[in-house]
Amino acid sequence: MAVNEQKQAFQLHLQELTDRNGGFLETVYALANGHFGVRASDPLQGKLQGSGGMPGLFVNGFYDFSKINYGEVYAGFPENNQTIAQLPDPRYLVLEVDGQRSDEVSFSTRVVDKNLDMETGLLNELFEITSPTGKILQLSLSSFASQADEAIYCVSYTIRPLNFSGSVKLYKQHPYIDQVFSKDGDIRAVSRNNLLDRQFIDADFPALQITTQRSQLGLVMMWRYLGEDSLVSFDSADGIPKYVMDLDLQQGLAESFDFGYSISQIHSLMDVAMNHNAYLKGANAHLQHHSFSSLFTESAHRMQAFWRDADVQIEGDPESQKGIRFNLFHLHQSAGHDGKTSIPAKGLTGAGYEGHYFWDTETFMLPAFTYTNPSMARAILMYRYHTLDAARRQAHDFGLDSGAMFSWRTINGAEASPYFPAGTAQVHINADIAHAASEYIQVTGDTDFLVEAGFEIILETARFWRRYGSFGVDGPQSGHFVINKVTGPDEYTALVNNNYYTNRMAQHNLRLAVLYARQLQQTHPNKLEELGVTEKELQAFSHAADEMYLPYDDELAVKMQDDGAFNLEIWPFDQTPRDHYPLLLHYHPLRLYRHQVNKQPDTLLSDFLFPEDQDIEQLKRDFDYYEPLTTHDSSLSRPIFSILANRIRAHHKAYRYIAESLLTDLNNGQGNSQDGVHVGSMGASWMEMTFGVAGMIRTQKDGLTFSPHLPSQWTALTFKIKYQGSQVSVHITRSQAIFKLVVGDAMTLHCDGQLVSLKAKSRTATVTLDEK
Ligand code: BGC
């Protein structure tokens, strides 16, 4: 591919997008770096009401509580919601033309162009602004969220008058309280987000302390002009610290101004050690010694390093190529890396799902990190470790005397799900986390993590299963370990007994606890003592796992979603209008729960995660049974279907699922991308390439095996993975798979039944692919 074409494949240009809705563009062009995210809103908008957008800065893990009001409250229901805070938009700029200010009267803004260079993380935008007096200005913005220093965001403004010469003032400020227009157009000042307090800090540059009232968190944000220009002055005379640019502009001539923001870590207001002045001094000195371009160069290098390991190249299908790149870009920029935060389901691109972390992180996003960026995967898992105490409290609330139960949706570790049948009852999240932790350990060989955190997570979750489940007393379940009253991944079925997926995952969780306990008995016996593990407990885990009840319909020879699943009527799909999907927005849950209808794969997810459980015939029967029942109302659904369709060799079908799911956000396929991107689905699209098209499977017995099949629409697929300290690149065409050892001395894997042995001296191996 020519260099230009390669560069082009990293650009996301406005012309490529069919949806031009303001909220949608704010989301897809949002920039983030794991610590914070900034939506690509109208820079003059601030928080002017009626402008339609949702501008703002979202800091990962910075939230406040709000009380959940229940009609009837049972013991143990979460008292509080946790909502990510919408902070001042660092792109915000106030213009003054002919004595009229854009924060007092509406100027019109037209989006002319936008382009995101995903290779470096630089966003370029062009707007045309018209003042109420008819003066037209071109405003261009270049911005990036630093990938090298997570505190830093930079924005450069270039302004050019198109139909006049004269005086224009710019203000770079974030007022103490938000200003909004009332219905009759008058300006009034109100605190729109009443959860937040903001205070200016006395300094030679603008700085704000932002605190939350109920969760008692704080952070500091400062901004600085990046340059020596005499046109810019700092002013705080009216109590609002700001930079003022008093310009005498010539028609057609441009002036540029660069600003750097520093956004501190979150601290607890109880933390007396937090010293704002020291932070601000350091942040100011750092920005003072840098320019927009030097900060950008550092950031772009880090972004390019990310692509070196994580890029997935699809040849022959530019749309899919763009889709996977866009997904990987957002996946990367959404991930908290401090061990105290995780990945919100909507990333840091919007307030959708209130900034909560779900099982999406471990089940759908983590594999991409585990195989391409293990240190990030470790940090993400450490977040769960740091919330183990909250999980222990939740297990206690469930009436259990030991173990830990992770929250279904949360920021601080405590449950924030107000609807427990489709929320808290999804106890499978416990086993999902244990599974992800174990995969990380197996793939990376990071036994330090096992000792430091992984084992405790796996043990405490196993203890939960041992207590939550019980041994059946009569009928076919007699003597078997049963787990009653749970909700599986399919949220259109709730509070069932023996959900196949949950039971199979719990079985795995119990076995993992025994496996790692045996390993630590040899290497770190103190760890077992410290955590109070006894031989009796391990035997109880093994017994429960061995006796785990897994519902199966002998007549249909299909795995049954739960005990009563097949007794229910099938949902009347032929009488359901197209615009009544997603069903949850149109039908009462009690109507859905009484039918066989799946929001997303449930039992099939277990088939995906445990490929050695069934032969291809069983998989086909399961697939054929559940596929027609599935609405894909969750964006997490199609990727799993594409992977399984590949496994059963329904390659055309697999491609249809891939093509749709790769473009979930770029095409606004779920119709709600304006609230934020679907990061779980983005992570799953990496799985579609590796576990699906390349047919990658990791088993304890064989290690990594591949069974590739390239869609006929593509000419090649290339990606790299890291495995136990080595890195291998995989290049798949219709007829060949080429494996190349990039890092490491030796690695063996299997491809289509052949042993592939890569060594320092013969780093490349080619396998001729069977016609599948
Ligand atoms: C899905 C859940 C998912 C949540 C957050 C829901 O629509 O059904 O599985 O965890 O969205 O992405």
Side-chain angles (χ1 to χ4, degrees):
M1 212 192 271
V3 176
N4 258 353
E5 249 176 84
Q6 271 175 27
K7 291 258 168 231
Q8 190 51 38
F10 276 101
Q11 313 295 312
L12 183 66
H13 200 269
L14 187 62
Q15 281 164 1
E16 293 172 82
L17 300 172
T18 42
D19 191 335
R20 297 293 172 87
N21 171 287
F24 170 73
L25 295 180
E26 287 183 2
T27 299
V28 292
Y29 284 111
L31 295 177
N33 65 4
H35 173 43
F36 65 81
V38 179
R39 280 169 72 81
S41 309
D42 172 352
L44 299 194
Q45 188 179 321
K47 286 194 173 176
L48 294 182
Q49 219 174 36
S51 39
M54 191 176 60
L57 165 79
F58 296 95
V59 173
N60 199 354
F62 194 68
Y63 70 94
D64 207 357
F65 295 120
S66 57
K67 200 153 178 53
I68 304 178
N69 293 315
Y70 297 99
E72 282 163 52
V73 195
Y74 281 68
F77 274 16
E79 279 174 36
N80 291 310
N81 204 347
Q82 301 155 35
T83 307
I84 194 165
Q86 196 176 346
L87 304 180
D89 174 11
R91 298 156 53 93
Y92 182 52
L93 182 72
V94 176
L95 281 183
E96 185 178 319
V97 182
D98 296 334
Q100 292 185 312
R101 289 174 56 124
S102 60
D103 58 346
E104 291 173 355
V105 284
S106 265
F107 283 42
S108 91
T109 308
R110 185 170 73 85
V111 176
V112 180
D113 208 357
K114 282 179 192 272
N115 186 56
L116 171 64
D117 178 15
M118 296 185 279
E119 190 179 13
T120 60
L122 185 69
L123 173 63
N124 286 314
E125 295 161 281
L126 188 61
F127 301 93
E128 197 178 272
I129 313 278
T130 309
S131 78
T133 51
K135 302 277 165 63
I136 305 177
L137 299 126
Q138 205 180 55
L139 175 68
S140 58
L141 260 70
S142 294
S143 55
F144 66 92
S146 176
Q147 306 300 315
D149 178 344
E150 65 169 28
I152 304 244
Y153 174 79
C154 290
V155 52
S156 167
Y157 302 95
T158 300
I159 186 146
R160 183 198 312 265
L162 294 185
N163 66 349
F164 71 103
S165 298
S167 128
V168 170
K169 274 191 183 179
L170 310 182
Y171 302 91
K172 198 65 188 117
Q173 66 180 54
H174 298 287
Y176 175 65
I177 41 181
D178 307 323
Q179 296 183 325
V180 302
F181 283 110
S182 68
K183 279 205 190 90
D184 47 16
D186 290 342
I187 183 105
R188 60 194 173 106
V190 294
S191 180
R192 263 231 311 225
N193 192 340
N194 59 13
L195 302 173
L196 296 176
D197 281 332
R198 299 189 208 163
Q199 268 179 11
F200 290 114
I201 302 173
D202 194 16
D204 301 340
F205 43 82
L208 270 174
Q209 178 185 209
I210 304 176
T211 54
T212 57
Q213 287 174 3
R214 300 186 193 107
S215 58
Q216 296 279 292
L217 299 174
L219 59 77
V220 175
M221 160 174 158
M222 58 81 71
W223 57 106
R224 224 201 112 83
Y225 174 63
L226 298 174
E228 299 298 329
D229 205 307
S230 56
L231 292 173
V232 179
S233 57
F234 172 67
D235 170 38
S236 61
D238 62 356
I240 300 179
K242 59 177 102 43
Y243 285 103
V244 184
M245 290 141 276
D246 198 345
L247 311 173
D248 193 13
L249 295 177
Q250 295 302 308
Q251 183 169 350
L253 296 184
E255 295 278 1
S256 292
F257 304 92
D258 301 345
F259 288 88
Y261 279 74
S262 187
I263 298 147
S264 78
Q265 287 291 331
I266 301 166
H267 60 271
S268 153
L269 295 188
M270 300 298 147
D271 182 359
V272 283
M274 174 65 199
N275 181 339
H276 292 154
N277 291 339
Y279 173 77
L280 287 175
K281 217 167 140 205
N284 183 45
H286 184 66
L287 289 176
Q288 201 169 19
H289 293 112
H290 282 84
S291 61
F292 182 95
S293 79
S294 69
L295 290 166
F296 173 64
T297 306
E298 281 176 14
S299 173
H301 279 149
R302 288 295 280 271
M303 199 74 214
Q304 282 157 339
F306 155 73
W307 287 116
R308 261 197 302 283
D309 289 332
D311 193 20
V312 173
Q313 288 152 17
I314 297 173
E315 289 167 48
D317 181 354
E319 225 185 8
S320 294
Q321 172 68 86
K322 191 74 42 105
I324 186 75
R325 287 245 166 87
F326 177 72
N327 294 349
L328 294 172
F329 177 80
H330 273 289
L331 181 65
H332 168 75
Q333 62 163 9
S334 304
H337 22 80
D338 57 3
K340 309 263 169 54
T341 52
S342 180
I343 311 179
K346 300 276 181 176
L348 296 163
T349 63
Y353 283 132
E354 289 157 290
H356 291 169
Y357 316 129
F358 293 72
W359 72 313
D360 305 32
T361 307
E362 282 76 14
T363 303
F364 298 92
M365 308 175 197
L366 209 72
F369 291 104
T370 296
Y371 281 98
T372 65
N373 191 350
S375 60
M376 194 81 111
R378 188 187 215 274
I380 294 165
L381 286 165
M382 285 308 285
Y383 160 78
R384 294 295 186 184
Y385 179 68
H386 287 130
T387 60
L388 253 179
D389 277 340
R392 288 189 183 101
R393 281 194 292 276
Q394 177 148 256
H396 183 261
D397 284 349
F398 278 25
L400 310 181
D401 60 7
S402 72
M405 177 57 235
F406 284 104
S407 295
W408 175 245
R409 54 187 295 172
T410 185
I411 295 176
N412 71 1
E415 182 61 85
S417 170
Y419 181 58
F420 82 92
T424 318
Q426 290 197 56
V427 287
H428 63 82
I429 189 173
N430 247 14
D432 304 330
I433 293 170
H435 177 271
S438 175
E439 283 304 294
Y440 167 78
I441 294 163
Q442 297 298 323
V443 171
T444 61
D446 183 355
T447 44
D448 288 350
F449 170 77
L450 173 69
V451 179
E452 193 187 327
F455 180 64
E456 198 169 333
I457 292 176
I458 292 167
L459 174 73
E460 287 290 69
T461 46
R463 283 176 170 161
F464 167 83
W465 296 117
R466 181 64 196 82
R467 294 282 182 282
Y468 196 75
S470 56
F471 286 92
V473 281
D474 50 28
Q477 294 175 359
S478 166
H480 291 294
F481 196 74
V482 294
I483 305 178
N484 292 331
K485 297 295 163 262
V486 304
T487 298
D490 162 31
E491 294 177 353
Y492 289 167
T493 312
L495 297 178
V496 296
N497 295 342
N498 295 310
N499 169 257
Y500 189 103
Y501 173 80
T502 306
N503 285 20
R504 180 63 184 93
M505 290 297 287
Q507 180 183 49
H508 183 63
N509 196 161
L510 289 159
R511 286 196 174 133
L512 289 176
V514 178
L515 174 86
Y516 290 117
R518 298 281 175 234
Q519 190 174 320
L520 291 176
Q521 261 167 355
Q522 307 301 317
T523 57
H524 295 78
N526 294 348
K527 189 80 208 170
L528 298 189
E529 215 171 293
E530 187 193 306
L531 297 172
V533 181
T534 61
E535 186 55 36
K536 197 168 150 220
E537 181 172 39
L538 296 181
Q539 280 175 14
F541 286 169
S542 294
H543 182 51
D546 291 345
E547 294 304 328
M548 186 66 70
Y549 181 75
L550 297 169
Y552 190 79
D553 185 304
D554 289 322
E555 227 167 274
L556 295 169
V558 166
K559 295 180 185 175
M560 218 158 47
Q561 185 163 320
D562 58 70
D563 277 357
F566 291 0
N567 299 335
L568 301 177
E569 247 179 75
I570 304 236
W571 179 261
F573 290 99
D574 50 356
Q575 289 154 42
T576 310
R578 279 270 12 116
D579 62 358
H580 277 40
Y581 294 87
L583 299 180
L584 76 154
L585 299 183
H586 300 271
Y587 301 94
H588 194 285
L590 287 176
R591 190 155 168 198
L592 296 169
Y593 297 170
R594 287 183 295 113
H595 288 89
Q596 292 193 54
V597 52
N598 288 7
K599 184 179 181 190
Q600 61 204 89
D602 194 294
T603 312
L604 286 178
L605 196 60
S606 147
D607 286 1
F608 158 61
L609 289 174
F610 302 105
E612 63 285 38
D613 276 9
Q614 60 278 314
D615 59 19
I616 194 159
E617 294 310 319
Q618 178 66 52
L619 179 57
K620 267 189 194 149
R621 286 194 300 275
D622 293 343
F623 189 97
D624 290 345
Y625 188 84
Y626 289 106
E627 192 194 27
L629 298 179
T630 308
T631 61
H632 311 295
D633 284 350
S634 163
S635 67
L636 302 172
S637 185
R638 287 189 183 85
I640 303 304
F641 274 93
S642 95
I643 296 169
L644 294 178
N646 263 314
R647 282 197 198 155
I648 58 170
R649 298 181 185 158
H651 297 303
H652 291 300
K653 191 173 263 184
Y655 180 75
R656 281 206 303 278
Y657 281 123
I658 290 177
E660 223 175 309
S661 60
L662 279 181
L663 302 177
T664 295
D665 280 299
L666 280 182
N667 279 352
N668 201 359
Q670 301 292 114
N672 57 9
S673 295
Q674 62 280 3
D675 300 332
V677 292
H678 299 76
V679 191
S681 165
M682 292 174 148
S685 67
W686 179 90
M687 305 195 323
E688 288 180 280
M689 302 298 112
T690 49
F691 301 144
V693 176
M696 184 168 101
I697 286 176
R698 191 200 68 77
T699 59
Q700 204 65 24
K701 192 163 125 277
D702 298 323
L704 282 186
T705 66
F706 292 82
S707 174
H709 179 92
L710 198 72
S712 55
Q713 292 79 353
W714 301 357
T715 49
L717 170 73
T718 313
F719 59 86
K720 288 190 196 125
I721 51 158
K722 293 184 175 170
Y723 189 67
Q724 299 184 347
S726 299
Q727 188 183 34
V728 66
S729 104
V730 182
H731 177 74
I732 296 163
T733 64
R734 303 273 310 150
S735 56
Q736 288 184 327
I738 304 175
F739 300 93
K740 188 169 164 205
L741 192 59
V742 183
V743 173
D745 295 332
M747 182 168 167
T748 51
L749 49 91
H750 294 83
C751 181
D752 275 357
Q754 292 182 40
L755 179 70
V756 176
S757 192
L758 304 168
K759 300 193 189 74
K761 287 202 176 132
S762 52
R763 303 189 81 87
T764 305
T766 302
V767 176
T768 304
L769 299 178
D770 300 339
E771 205 34 63
K772 294 192 187 89

